[in-house]
Each structure stands twice: as structure tokens, then as C-alpha cells.
Amino acid sequence: MKITSSEYLASAVKPEQYPELVVPEVALVGRSNVGKSSFINTMINRKNLARTGGKPGKTQTLNFYLVNNSMIFTDVPGYGFAKVAKSHRQTWRKMIEEYLLKRANLKGVVQLIDIRHLPTNEDKEMFFWLLEKQIPVMVVLTKADKISKGKVQKHVSDICKQLNIPLSYPLVFSSETGLGREEAWEAILELIQQ
Ligand code: GDP
């Protein structure tokens, strides 16, 4: 995928703040620190357009990034940040559900899961909720560079069992090495053409 332009468009916590632009949109979901911002940066060949690192849970807004003037990546606030108060978590959940259910531009979701660990309850809850709502979802296993090549298949297989998906479903990815980038673009282009 050739990237000709990429820009930060907006941050939002409610629908009135979403960008008005009508182009296909793909949302990134996952635990805090799973590598959502890094995924976006890798996909668009930028070092730090999307903010990375720092405190988990830093991103409390939906952040919209326009790519090639023709599609949007939306970085969705990460879940699984234990230190956040329950009431605050409810607000997040409402904001995220509202976005995922009502955003007309949304073509699908990329759910990121750390390849080193089994999906958490929150990962599973999110994945099965997306299926239930019939929102197309791709699974991307991040940080593949952090385990040895010989262990990748075993981790993929354990994660697939938990999510009840075939071995071919998830994409193995690394923002560090660029592994999986082209395959991820192919899958995303297919998603947004539907
Ligand atoms: P987010 O909270 O989901 O947006 O996660 P970030 O993209 O900010 O990443 C969290 C931390 O993990 C940062 O220190 C990143 O540099 C690191 N990270 C993200 N993806 C990868 C990866 O594929 N490989 C390695 N080694 N580190 C990664």
C-alpha cells in the first residue's frame, strides 16, 4: 500500500465531534498498551502521528486519522486499565459502544491482541460482542517480534482456541519489524471495499 498522505483529523468523545467527512472508516480496539497507536503508525509509515507509549490508558478519546484522503483509522481508547474508576469505565464503554454501533462510516474493526498472552476476559467480551453485533472484525496479534519464531504457531493456536476461530483468522504482526503490514493492508482494503 502506497501512503501518499496521512493526518490527524480530530478527537471525539461524542458523535457531534466525529469528523463529518464521509469515507470508509476502520476502528482499532484492544487493551491499553497492546500497540494500537504503533499499528496505525506502522500502517501509514509514520513514526509518531498516532501517540504511542507512556501511561496505559492515556488515550481517553476516539482519535481519527485520515489516510490518503480516502479512509480513516480511528484509535479507540484501550480497555483493561485497572486504575480507572468504575464510573469512568462505564462512560468509556458507553462512548465506545455508541461509536461502534452508530458510526455510519464504520466498515469494520481491527481488534489487537498481544501474541504473548491469552486473550483476557475483556478481549473475549469485545470480540464476541462485535460478532454478535455483526460488525466485521479482523484479529491482529501484535508484538510478534517479542517471541521466538518457533513459538508463534503455538501462541496463535492457543489464542484461536480461546476465541473459537480458525488458525487462519488472525494476522501475525509486529510494528517493530513491519511483519504482517502488507497482509494487514490487504485485509483492510478488502474490509473497506465491502
Ligand atoms: P496503545 O496503548 O495500544 O496505543 O499501544 P502503543 O502503540 O502506545 O504501544 C505500547 C508500547 O508497546 C510502546 O512502548 C510500543 O513501542 C510497544 N509496541 C507496540 N507494538 C510493538 C511491537 O510490535 N513490537 C514491540 N517490540 N513493541 C511494540
Side-chain angles (χ1 to χ4, degrees):
M1 175 74 173
K2 188 161 186 281
I3 305 299
T4 50
S5 66
S6 57
E7 62 186 286
Y8 163 79
L9 268 188
S11 295
V13 293
K14 50 187 175 191
E16 306 88 89
Q17 299 166 333
Y18 300 166
E20 282 175 19
L21 197 64
V22 180
V23 293
E25 204 160 291
V26 172
L28 287 304
V29 305
R31 280 176 66 82
S32 301
N33 237 21
V34 70
K36 289 184 300 295
S37 315
S38 303
F39 177 86
I40 295 175
N41 289 330
T42 300
M43 295 305 280
I44 61 179
N45 296 330
R46 293 278 292 262
K47 271 217 161 68
N48 53 11
L49 182 65
R51 292 172 301 160
T52 55
K55 257 203 205 144
K58 69 211 178 297
T59 322
Q60 306 194 3
T61 52
L62 297 156
N63 297 321
F64 298 82
Y65 301 93
L66 178 64
V67 183
N68 287 359
N69 282 315
S70 61
M71 69 154 297
I72 288 174
F73 278 131
T74 310
D75 196 353
V76 172
Y79 46 78
F81 187 43
K83 284 194 185 120
V84 172
K86 235 190 190 156
S87 59
H88 202 142
R89 254 185 277 171
Q90 289 295 349
T91 316
W92 277 10
R93 180 184 284 251
K94 196 175 151 272
M95 173 178 88
I96 293 169
E97 288 189 0
E98 184 173 46
Y99 167 73
L100 293 173
L101 291 174
K102 296 191 186 150
R103 179 65 163 161
N105 293 352
L106 189 72
K107 293 289 189 176
V109 169
V110 178
Q111 181 170 3
L112 278 69
I113 295 174
D114 190 323
I115 197 167
R116 294 171 297 172
H117 311 296
L118 288 177
T120 63
N121 286 338
E122 280 164 313
D123 287 322
K124 289 196 256 185
E125 210 177 288
M126 172 60 87
F127 182 70
F128 294 122
W129 183 84
L130 290 166
L131 291 186
E132 182 196 315
K133 299 296 176 195
Q134 300 186 317
I135 299 170
V137 52
M138 266 169 71
V139 171
V140 168
L141 305 181
T142 61
K143 309 196 184 185
D145 59 282
K146 292 211 178 203
I147 56 172
S148 65
K149 277 199 182 124
K151 287 198 171 145
V152 167
Q153 272 320 308
K154 164 82 174 121
H155 284 243
V156 171
S157 151
D158 290 346
I159 292 169
C160 286
K161 266 187 211 141
Q162 295 279 317
L163 298 178
N164 203 16
I165 50 175
L167 286 175
S168 57
Y169 193 110
L171 230 142
V172 176
F173 190 86
S174 166
S175 294
E176 195 69 24
T177 67
L179 176 76
R181 182 182 178 276
E182 280 311 310
E183 291 87 339
W185 263 123
E186 271 173 37
I188 287 169
L189 291 178
E190 206 169 292
L191 200 64
I192 64 180
Q193 275 153 17
Q194 279 164 13

